[in-house]
Amino acid sequence: PSGAPSAELTFPPNFYVELNTDVPSTAPSLDPDTVAAIDQALLKMTDPKDYYNQTSPQGSCRNWMLTEDLVQPTVDEEGEAAVQQRYILCVFFTATNGPYFDAAFHECDWDGVSCDAGITVVLYINASNLTGTIPSELGYLSQLQLLSLREND
């Protein structure tokens, strides 16, 4: 019928619709002081050029910890060593294309990670198709007693 509405929408020139497409994060927002404390703790072990480069494992993990990490340890609450440990393991798994790690769980519950009193003592990541370079940050796991990476590329 000629009086039926058209299924095609048309808009006048220079007309635009602004949509708020920001999806709310499930991770809580961190205040600037908390971010500064985390950055200060992590920059003790990582070169700033890698840390602020979002395409590097270090920059990717910084971004993940600040925006997506559901555990989100803070220096004030868990201490510098806890924040550093989570970051180190994130960098290790990211740099080596390691197993998936779940943002909702403590790093001691990630595949291949064993801890004693919340401190990483064993990384047993065998036959996991790891590739890449082991990041220098791994050397900061001062209580690590066993690193087993057999049968990887």
Side-chain angles (χ1 to χ4, degrees):
S2 61
S6 170
E8 184 177 319
L9 293 174
T10 57
F11 298 99
N14 300 324
F15 178 84
Y16 71 96
V17 176
E18 185 174 331
L19 299 174
N20 181 359
T21 59
D22 291 338
V23 177
S25 170
T26 54
S29 295
L30 296 174
D31 66 82
D33 290 338
T34 300
V35 172
I38 290 170
D39 286 344
Q40 182 178 2
L42 301 182
L43 283 166
K44 290 179 179 179
M45 62 183 65
T46 296
D47 186 321
K49 73 175 177 47
D50 294 327
Y51 188 71
Y52 292 112
N53 176 355
Q54 290 194 11
T55 63
S56 72
Q58 294 83 355
S60 176
C61 288
R62 175 191 187 263
N63 184 60
W64 174 77
M65 288 185 74
L66 297 179
T67 63
E68 299 173 43
D69 186 0
L70 299 180
V71 172
Q72 263 186 347
T74 63
V75 173
D76 288 343
E77 292 180 21
E78 286 80 17
E80 190 173 86
V83 172
Q84 289 172 335
Q85 174 175 275
R86 191 163 180 85
Y87 170 77
I88 291 165
L89 292 172
C90 175
V91 170
F92 171 73
F93 284 122
T94 302
T96 60
N97 297 304
Y100 169 77
F101 53 92
D102 195 324
F105 294 102
H106 190 279
E107 62 275 12
C108 291
D109 296 322
W110 293 351
D111 287 342
V113 179
S114 296
C115 296
D116 182 17
I119 298 171
T120 303
V121 292
V122 173
L123 286 178
Y124 193 85
I125 321 286
N126 294 337
S128 296
N129 296 315
L130 298 183
T131 60
T133 303
I134 296 173
S136 62
E137 287 82 359
L138 196 63
Y140 287 92
L141 291 178
S142 61
Q143 300 299 310
L144 189 63
Q145 298 169 13
L146 174 66
L147 174 62
S148 182
L149 305 174
R150 290 187 215 156
E151 299 178 36
N152 285 290
D153 294 336

